[in-house]
Amino acid sequence: MNSVLALSDSGGAFPLLTVFGLCVVCTLLLSIGSILPEKHELSGFYLGQRRLPSFVNGLAIFGSYMSAAGMLGNPGLIALTGYDGIAYVLAPMVAWSVLVLVVAEPYHSTSRFTIGDSLALRLQARPAHLAAGITSVVVCLLYLTAQLVGAGALAATVLGIDGDGAQRVVVAGLGLLMVLYVVIGGMRAATLVQSIKAVVLLATGLFVVLAVLSEFDWSPARLLDAAVLHSGLGGSFLEPGIRFHDRTNKIDSVSLQLAFVLGAAALPHVLMRIGTVSSGRRARKSAGWAACLVIVFTLFEVVTGLGSAALIGSQTIKENAASGNTAVLLTAERLGGPFLLTVIACVAFVTIVAVVAALTLTAAAALAHDVYGATIMRGRASEKSELVVARLGVGLIGVAAIALSMLAQHLNIAFLVSLAFAIAASAILPALLFNLWWKGFTTKGAVWSMYGGLLVALLLTALSPAVSGNATALLPDMDFAVFPLRNPGLISIPVGFLLAWTGSVLDRRERGGADYTETEIRVLTGTGTGRHDG
């Protein structure tokens, strides 16, 4: 990491910390200023009173979805693996099409605050809320832990922080900052952070793309030629097989892509943002805007990754970090010196902050609304008491994520992000789609699919090479990897759908399916939006 760490050695860490500190102070002040008197406090905390314009919500959806792993990891993967990396990062384009066409509008029309609300509209409330709440919290905690560990690694890379204590201070600081944001302003504060992050991320990405193209006289052909030349792989750089060179790796690639494509349409923190606009039509527009932004930024990632290979060289990137995560930082330093490196690092920190805010709020809502309000209090909790539990839940989730990330600071937990997507696709998506579109769906089917999909995904991952059996695993000195794939999606997703169907067919309490009348009307007409908030 000598090239990147030269920033800290030369005193360049001071402007980075100064700029990042100013960003933190400004967003915190804006979050405090975003608090307005609320007629319905719970709706305001969870959804910002459903008042967001479609474009702003689309920006925020993009901001909550696009993580630092995508911003830093995807271009690095392209720089190291060429064609395979490009194919890997194009999956979000398909995922957002699924969200726009199938999920966004009907989900908005059937949900009040959480996934559990959408299910409970036609299913038995307590088991539906409890299963949805537990699954949502697990997905959010996995994602949160990975984001906070990434924050510590980023600080170590850019600032040259080698001590465990210093890295843990960075992680704890970011985690507590997000707790403060969300406790103060709820969805309003989270939206503000996510929207600012989205604008800055897109602007910075465009600047880097233009800077890369200018190095090659604005010719994509020259860029490709230079990437092939400096990749060290020759013509095979633009052919499949570098990353997935044997049958198991190819199957693993399909499993991973399936989890990302389907899981993106069922991530709890993305679905929660769907409800922040006033109608199903605006929800569809929001998802459409987000899809467009994801596609644009994915193209930015492709150009940046090829530019990294052309300007830095794949071998140099791999020597700096085997994962390729520093490729963007190295390229930024090559193009714009310490100043651009400082900007990119700040954008990466803000990216982590925005995603952590969305995840923290969503997990807290699942705890307060699904577990406390609907399950423990059987739907009789007052808005005031649920709001108190929600704010306490923010603190609880934040502290738990900080503790987990500190324990995992030096462990290889890169698989946690793909596991979160796999659980969303295996446990949440089957229940969500069957609930919205199948008359024969029942409570038993929902419970079986959510708990079964969750447990199968966790079990297969625990028995996979991601956890043991090789030098890059979570536990490299142990070997109980009897499942050959690193991502369980290829098995766990069909199992989740099968369990949803089987449980419904065998359900004797709701023969032929739970009452679909109201759900069908809402799905087809979009009526009922905000029915509990008025």
Side-chain angles (χ1 to χ4, degrees), residues 195-205 343 347 350:
S195 299
I196 291 173
K197 167 265 184 88
V199 172
V200 172
L201 183 60
L202 288 166
T204 306
V343 171
V347 171
V350 174

Side-chain angles (χ1 to χ4, degrees), residues 401-441:
I402 291 170
L404 288 172
S405 61
M406 286 184 175
L407 290 174
Q409 197 68 49
H410 295 293
L411 299 177
N412 183 3
I413 61 163
F415 70 93
L416 288 186
V417 172
S418 61
L419 175 59
F421 276 81
I423 293 173
S426 306
I428 298 175
L429 189 65
L432 197 60
L433 292 182
F434 280 148
N435 181 64
L436 294 174
W437 301 106
W438 183 33
K439 292 183 179 181
F441 193 52

Side-chain angles (χ1 to χ4, degrees), residues 54-227:
S54 298
F55 178 70
V56 173
N57 194 43
L59 266 180
I61 292 174
F62 168 75
S64 64
Y65 171 75
M66 187 57 65
S67 67
M71 176 192 170
L72 299 178
N74 288 348
L77 185 63
I78 292 170
L80 296 181
T81 63
Y83 177 93
D84 286 347
I86 294 173
Y88 172 83
V89 303
L90 293 180
M93 295 186 183
V94 180
W96 284 104
S97 298
V98 173
L99 183 66
V100 172
L101 296 175
V102 181
V103 176
E105 187 169 359
Y107 176 77
H108 182 280
S109 301
T110 57
S111 177
R112 182 189 180 195
F113 299 136
T114 64
I115 296 168
D117 287 329
S118 181
L119 298 176
L121 184 61
R122 60 179 295 209
L123 306 179
Q124 297 171 36
R126 292 186 74 204
H129 274 288
L130 183 60
I134 290 174
T135 307
S136 297
V137 169
V138 171
V139 171
C140 290
L141 267 180
L142 290 172
Y143 218 145
L144 265 173
T145 302
Q147 291 296 312
L148 291 177
V149 170
L154 180 64
T157 300
V158 177
L159 302 178
I161 296 175
D162 296 323
D164 291 349
Q167 288 189 41
R168 288 185 172 127
V169 167
V170 172
V171 170
L174 274 177
L176 294 175
L177 180 65
M178 278 309 90
V179 170
L180 187 59
Y181 278 158
V182 178
V183 166
I184 289 174
M187 181 57 79
R188 289 181 183 275
T191 299
L192 183 70
V193 174
Q194 290 153 10
S195 299
I196 291 173
K197 167 265 184 88
V199 172
V200 172
L201 183 60
L202 288 166
T204 306
L206 177 60
F207 180 83
V208 172
V209 165
L210 294 177
V212 167
L213 290 175
S214 69
E215 292 284 319
F216 300 96
D217 298 326
W218 309 99
S219 171
R222 290 187 179 182
L223 170 61
L224 283 173
D225 290 341

Side-chain angles (χ1 to χ4, degrees), residues 249-269:
N249 282 336
K250 290 177 181 178
I251 296 174
D252 210 351
S253 171
V254 173
S255 183
L256 186 63
Q257 293 286 57
L258 189 65
F260 276 123
V261 168
L262 298 181
L267 290 174
H269 63 291

